[in-house]
Amino acid sequence: MQVWVTGLGAVSALGLGADALADALQTGRSGVAAQPGRDELALKPHAAAPVTVALGTGMPPAQRNLHDRHGLMALEAAAQAWAQAGLPATAPTRTAPPSPGARAWVAPTRWSRATSKCSRPRPRASTPTRWCA
């Protein structure tokens, strides 16, 4: 199998984009900074590398709210890599069609302790304790 890397993207405390990250690493700059504590959360002062850029600004709010902060960082890095590769831009709400030969989505299976076999979850089944791949 061959893998071709055609574009890079990065979202980090050192900057937005692969170039900003590389420059910060080459100059020895750190993204770690002292963070104040928060009494209401009983959080003591600590060191962290916060990502302070606004994420998901090009997305409609309804779509942006579907993702947590880590997902938005991954989407931003992927968008940067997509652009650097020179691929055509798409609308933020557009989804790609399934690839040829792709199987339709199948409900995850649940591990049954009683039978030690995987089975499809029932509509009113209790919360599963273990999921099968």
Side-chain angles (χ1 to χ4, degrees):
M1 178 202 300
Q2 294 182 345
V3 176
W4 296 68
V5 177
T6 58
L8 299 173
V11 177
S12 74
L14 294 172
L16 191 60
D19 293 334
L21 178 61
D23 291 341
L25 292 174
Q26 288 176 347
T27 60
R29 193 171 37 129
S30 173
V32 178
Q35 302 296 311
R38 294 181 61 185
D39 292 334
E40 66 272 11
L41 298 176
L43 184 63
K44 296 179 181 179
H46 60 283
V51 175
T52 57
V53 296
L55 299 168
T57 56
M59 296 174 142
Q63 186 179 6
R64 183 176 55 241
N65 294 338
L66 295 175
H67 304 283
D68 65 358
R69 187 155 173 80
H70 299 103
L72 289 172
M73 285 191 269
L75 288 170
E76 176 64 32
Q80 292 171 15
W82 186 274
Q84 189 183 49
L87 298 171
T90 60
T93 57
R94 183 176 183 271
T95 58
S99 60
R103 294 174 40 190
W105 181 83
V106 178
T109 55
R110 185 178 57 183
W111 183 263
S112 170
R113 289 184 184 187
T115 62
S116 298
K117 294 181 180 178
C118 289
S119 63
R120 298 277 173 222
R122 296 187 187 124
R124 288 187 241 157
S126 62
T127 304
T129 56
R130 183 173 167 197
W131 290 89
C132 302

